[in-house]
Amino acid sequence: MKTIKAKLVVLMGLLTILLGCGDDDSVSVDSIPEFQSLNQQVSSLPGEEFLFEGIVTDPAGIKSVNFKYEAWFLDKTIMKDSLPETYTISYKFKVPDDATEFSVHTIPVTITNAGNVSSTKEVVVTLDKDIAAPSININSPVNGATILIGDGDEINLDIDLADRELAELKIESSILNETLAISGASYNYSNSINVTDEGDYEFIITATDATGNEATASVSVSVVSDLQFNAMYLTDETSDTALNQDIFGIPFSTVASELSGEDGYVFTGRYYSAAANSEVRFVPQQGSFKPFTFGADPSNPGKLLLGQDETVAPIIMPGVGYYEVAMDIRDLSYTVTPYTPTDTPYDQVYILGRGIYIDAVTSTCTNNNDGSTQCWHFNSGKPFALSTYNLYLWTIDVTLKDQPNDAGANGFILNANPSGWAPFWRVDVAGGDPSRTIPGGGNNYVFDDSALNKDYTFIFDTHLNRIIAKLR
């Protein structure tokens, strides 16, 4: 009996020691989880993922993390069986596609420790994320302009920027390098530059907004001591607005003479006059009649007048048909010569591509045989209509859209065969003149997003190898 009592005393003593040691080494569960950091202001957009991120600690161990927001059907709990004392929050969540832009949403984040003690902080999600790059509008100089060296201030930079919140403007060139911290939703930069040396000058303009979105544009000019031009264009438009309504810019490029002494002075263009007494003018810069426009001198037949805008008198094409128009800046002269094409007309031409709609439902991705989707293929080519008066002139009315359910490029090529690829035309993208079509060569033309959701008339001249796309 004594032996049993003695054993019980010893056992109770051991239990006391063990329990005492356990109490000394245990961690209290009365602690409260702490947020060491938490990103509590998030900018996002409908349909876009954002990240809950932060660091939490608790000596008792982190048991769970919960994110809950009934409006977005969010109720996510992350359980941690290992009960870490420090836990890094990194949880992605996609905002519902039908959420309202610029709305504000408060989402609680709750941390619970091993003793079921909780701590909560709120994350405010605002659907206002700026993903759009700033817009850059170069008012002056006109791209490709030729500028005469004068008494100073030859190049006048006039640039408008716009964005939700601008941050920086950078201008880079061989004669001007400048970086400006800017702010606000709009900013105008103007600067007059004195140029003393002839040459070609390019200005690269970069605008950055407060979110880090960046846009870049450039403008090039030639500064000369006399009137000598790198390029010349022939146009029948009568305003800067009309010049820029064509997707491809001024459509009537000319050929520069390469003979010694004529380079930069003598240019020859070809033009189809659809009506008697058609009017044309020469301009050496793309997109504008300023600062130089060449027209006819009404008092001196065959002589050019140099004007500063579209008010200079036009050169007249007297009849209907094709004309060759040549100019010589050295003596300010021009000639107008009618001619008859000798190349063989085509029976039919077609436009192929993606994002080109002939009516509300039919695009150049619609197979003509079975109605299936087949983009950039002769099976889906849509026919132009032939002019009543000109066997080389074709037109088609189209609407440009982003092709649905298709991540490919929206663009076009042309061909004259509903059963094969050849003959075909693509455009001179590499040469910088997308209005020029190249038989059997060239590059596919890809529409800029700014051209989409608009109606156009495409005009294709298979003799001049020229494509025009005017707004309707």
Side-chain angles (χ1 to χ4, degrees):
M1 191 69 175
K2 290 182 180 179
T3 302
I4 293 172
K5 288 182 179 179
K7 288 181 178 180
L8 287 173
V9 171
V10 172
L11 181 60
M12 291 178 66
L14 289 172
L15 288 172
T16 301
I17 293 171
L18 289 172
L19 289 172
C21 291
D23 289 340
D24 292 341
D25 295 339
S26 67
V27 177
S28 172
V29 293
D30 293 333
S31 60
I32 299 175
E34 293 187 12
F35 287 87
Q36 300 301 323
S37 65
L38 181 67
N39 184 10
Q40 292 184 266
Q41 298 292 330
V42 174
S43 180
S44 190
L45 287 173
E48 184 175 279
E49 281 188 339
F50 69 89
L51 185 67
F52 290 98
E53 52 185 342
I55 298 174
V56 293
T57 59
D58 193 305
I62 304 298
K63 179 181 178 181
S64 67
V65 183
N66 176 261
F67 313 89
K68 188 169 185 177
Y69 189 55
E70 292 181 358
W72 286 351
F73 304 101
L74 171 62
D75 190 357
K76 172 68 176 179
T77 299
I78 299 173
M79 302 296 298
K80 302 302 296 181
D81 295 334
S82 58
L83 301 178
E85 293 184 9
T86 299
Y87 178 70
T88 299
I89 299 171
S90 181
Y91 175 65
K92 286 183 179 180
F93 179 76
K94 180 185 175 183
V95 178
D97 294 331
D98 60 356
T100 303
E101 194 171 359
F102 298 109
S103 58
V104 180
H105 306 266
T106 302
I107 302 176
V109 179
T110 301
I111 311 301
T112 304
N113 69 9
N116 292 321
V117 179
S118 298
S119 182
T120 299
K121 277 195 174 184
E122 294 177 336
V123 173
V124 178
V125 181
T126 305
L127 302 185
D128 65 347
K129 187 175 180 179
D130 183 4
I131 60 173
S135 67
I136 303 173
N137 185 36
I138 303 172
N139 304 311
S140 174
V142 174
N143 189 46
T146 297
I147 300 171
L148 279 171
I149 289 179
D151 296 329
D153 297 339
E154 281 79 8
I155 299 177
N156 293 296
L157 288 173
D158 183 4
I159 304 166
D160 284 324
L161 309 179
D163 191 80
R164 186 180 299 173
E165 182 59 40
L166 294 163
E168 184 182 89
L169 168 65
K170 180 187 291 185
I171 301 176
E172 300 170 283
S173 73
S174 60
I175 55 176
L176 174 68
N177 288 280
E178 191 168 12
T179 301
L180 301 174
I182 58 178
S183 61
S186 62
Y187 182 81
N188 175 261
Y189 176 88
S190 59
N191 190 7
S192 296
I193 305 170
N194 180 34
V195 182
T196 57
D197 298 321
E198 292 184 80
D200 296 329
Y201 297 93
E202 180 183 31
F203 297 86
I204 299 174
I205 298 98
T206 303
T208 308
D209 65 17
T211 311
N213 301 307
E214 185 177 280
T216 301
S218 64
V219 60
S220 298
V221 297
S222 295
V223 178
V224 299
S225 57
D226 67 348
L227 290 177
Q228 185 179 16
F229 300 98
N230 294 329
M232 188 67 64
Y233 305 91
L234 192 66
T235 181
D236 54 9
E237 302 292 0
T238 56
S239 70
D240 284 4
T241 299
L243 284 179
N244 289 285
Q245 71 169 334
D246 192 294
I247 292 179
F248 312 118
I250 300 174
F252 308 134
S253 55
T254 66
V255 176
S257 173
E258 296 181 355
L259 296 177
S260 176
E262 293 186 357
D263 184 23
Y265 298 103
V266 178
F267 299 89
T268 302
R270 287 186 166 186
Y271 177 77
Y272 174 69
S273 173
N277 298 316
S278 297
E279 300 179 351
V280 298
R281 296 170 176 85
F282 285 103
V283 290
Q285 61 277 326
Q286 289 183 317
S288 179
F289 285 95
K290 301 177 181 65
F292 300 117
T293 303
F294 293 91
D297 184 347
S299 303
N300 295 289
K303 287 294 184 180
L304 291 171
L305 275 182
L306 174 60
Q308 296 181 327
D309 55 35
E310 65 274 16
T311 61
V312 67
I315 298 168
I316 304 297
M317 309 293 107
V320 175
Y322 286 95
Y323 286 86
E324 190 168 86
V325 189
M327 64 157 343
D328 190 333
I329 298 170
R330 295 171 301 177
D331 60 0
L332 289 178
S333 65
Y334 74 91
T335 58
V336 174
T337 307
Y339 73 95
T340 301
T342 58
D343 45 309
T344 302
Y346 292 91
D347 294 332
Q348 183 65 60
V349 295
Y350 304 85
I351 187 166
L352 323 174
R354 182 185 283 113
I356 305 166
Y357 282 76
I358 310 306
D359 50 44
V361 295
T362 306
S363 80
T364 51
C365 285
T366 304
N367 186 295
N368 297 320
N369 301 314
D370 57 19
S372 63
T373 298
Q374 192 171 22
C375 302
W376 295 96
H377 200 280
F378 57 82
N379 281 338
S380 303
K382 299 301 181 283
F384 281 74
L386 179 62
S387 167
T388 306
Y389 309 101
N390 185 346
L391 295 177
Y392 301 97
L393 196 62
W394 302 82
T395 62
I396 189 171
D397 289 336
V398 303
T399 299
L400 302 185
K401 302 180 189 178
D402 185 24
Q403 189 74 32
N405 304 315
D406 193 323
N410 299 296
F412 79 96
I413 64 173
L414 307 162
N415 90 334
N417 186 352
S419 304
W421 290 113
F424 73 88
W425 298 260
R426 296 190 296 179
V427 299
D428 188 16
V429 173
D433 185 5
S435 70
R436 189 170 79 92
T437 58
I438 301 177
N443 309 94
N444 294 354
Y445 186 83
V446 175
F447 300 115
D448 187 81
D449 286 348
S450 62
L452 301 181
N453 301 312
K454 298 174 185 176
D455 299 324
Y456 295 89
T457 296
F458 276 53
I459 305 169
F460 179 34
D461 190 317
T462 62
H463 166 65
L464 296 178
N465 280 309
R466 179 177 293 148
I467 184 76
I468 299 169
K470 289 187 176 183
L471 282 168
R472 285 191 283 131

